[in-house]
Amino acid sequence: SAVISQKPSRDICQRGTSLTIQCQVDSQVTMMFWYRQQPGQSLTLIATANQGSEATYESGFVIDKFPISRPNLTFSTLTVSNMSPEDSSIYLCSVGTSGAYEQYFGPGTRLTVT
Amino acid sequence: EDQVTQSPEALRLQEGESSSLNCSYTVSGLRGLFWYRQDPGKGPEFLFTLYSAGEEKEKERLKATLTKKESFLHITAPKPEDSATYLCAVQATGGGADGLTFGKGTHLIIQP
């Protein structure tokens, strides 16, 4: 399985600011995904990020709020824009490998918005 | 809309006391059902993938089974290190959607 790292591991941000979360994988992967895990809730898919194409967003998530970049097969970023306390959550990236359907997750970024 | 419901929400067992966790799902077409383990402050750790009804997979003290409507994660003679939140997720076929739909998880505590 791939080794996935995320930066930062945690952050405390002020309302109205933006934070960019990085996801780095130790091998080339086709599919990368971004999830949100709010307290007491299940993981929710934000978007799918495939290299060379625009990210595909799930219902309830928009590009202006969560812009995503995928410049190559080992790296992606998720930006949480114009943050409010409701954005306080754990943000996780995951990767999928071709020929298999399971996904492997990074350690997550714990975001607190004050 | 795909849905995953896990029960119980929390389970406390004595060391060595076997039990099962349930995952009920509704999906238009099932590509795969996944079990993950999540420890506090960490990302989910992949355990199993099940693809069709009747399939079973085992890993140490864990055994996952699948029917057309639900999956069970059986834990045999658990140890304190098995304490974690266990997550179930489904992936639907078609439409090019590869993301997973997760349940809320079962928080398992194994007491020595």
Side-chain angles (χ1 to χ4, degrees):
Chain A
S1 64
V3 176
I4 305 163
S5 60
Q6 286 185 233
K7 289 182 180 178
S9 58
R10 60 178 62 226
D11 207 342
I12 301 173
C13 301
Q14 290 192 340
R15 180 196 299 260
T17 62
S18 298
L19 176 72
T20 295
I21 301 168
Q22 299 179 3
C23 179
Q24 179 75 53
V25 190
D26 68 342
S27 58
Q28 294 185 339
V29 293
T30 306
M31 298 176 290
M32 294 184 80
F33 307 88
W34 288 97
Y35 290 82
R36 181 173 73 182
Q37 188 173 29
Q38 294 180 306
Q41 302 297 315
S42 58
L43 277 78
T44 302
L45 180 66
I46 297 172
T48 301
N50 293 328
Q51 194 260 345
S53 61
E54 298 252 343
T56 303
Y57 290 82
E58 297 298 302
S59 175
F61 298 96
V62 295
I63 187 170
D64 290 345
K65 176 67 175 178
F66 298 100
I68 288 171
S69 77
R70 180 81 197 272
N72 57 52
L73 291 175
T74 64
F75 186 79
S76 178
T77 66
L78 168 76
T79 298
V80 186
S81 303
N82 188 24
M83 289 183 285
S84 66
E86 292 71 36
D87 295 319
S88 297
S89 185
I90 298 172
Y91 292 86
L92 297 137
C93 72
S94 74
V95 303
T97 56
S98 60
Y101 298 123
E102 61 265 18
Q103 295 178 17
Y104 297 92
F105 284 81
T109 295
R110 183 180 293 272
L111 171 62
T112 301
V113 184
T114 61
Chain B
E1 182 180 339
D2 304 332
Q3 285 191 325
V4 177
T5 303
Q6 292 188 246
S7 62
E9 291 185 9
L11 181 62
R12 189 183 296 266
L13 300 172
Q14 292 296 123
E15 183 173 1
E17 181 184 1
S18 301
S19 188
S20 297
L21 313 183
N22 178 263
C23 171
S24 298
Y25 65 92
T26 55
V27 63
S28 53
L30 182 69
R31 175 181 286 169
L33 183 140
F34 307 87
W35 282 98
Y36 288 84
R37 169 189 171 131
Q38 187 173 27
D39 293 295
K42 297 188 177 181
E45 174 190 346
F46 171 74
L47 293 174
F48 303 110
T49 307
L50 300 168
Y51 294 107
S52 57
E55 190 174 0
E56 299 182 351
K57 291 204 176 160
E58 288 188 66
K59 180 180 179 180
E60 295 181 358
R61 295 176 292 281
L62 300 177
K63 179 180 176 180
T65 63
L66 181 65
T67 72
K68 288 186 177 181
K69 294 183 178 181
E70 58 191 350
S71 176
F72 291 93
L73 184 65
H74 306 279
I75 302 176
T76 302
K79 298 181 178 181
E81 53 262 41
D82 295 321
S83 298
T85 296
Y86 290 85
L87 301 172
C88 173
V90 297
Q91 189 178 61
T93 59
D98 296 305
L100 304 181
T101 299
F102 279 85
K104 291 185 178 182
T106 294
H107 182 50
L108 177 66
I109 297 173
I110 308 299
Q111 295 180 310

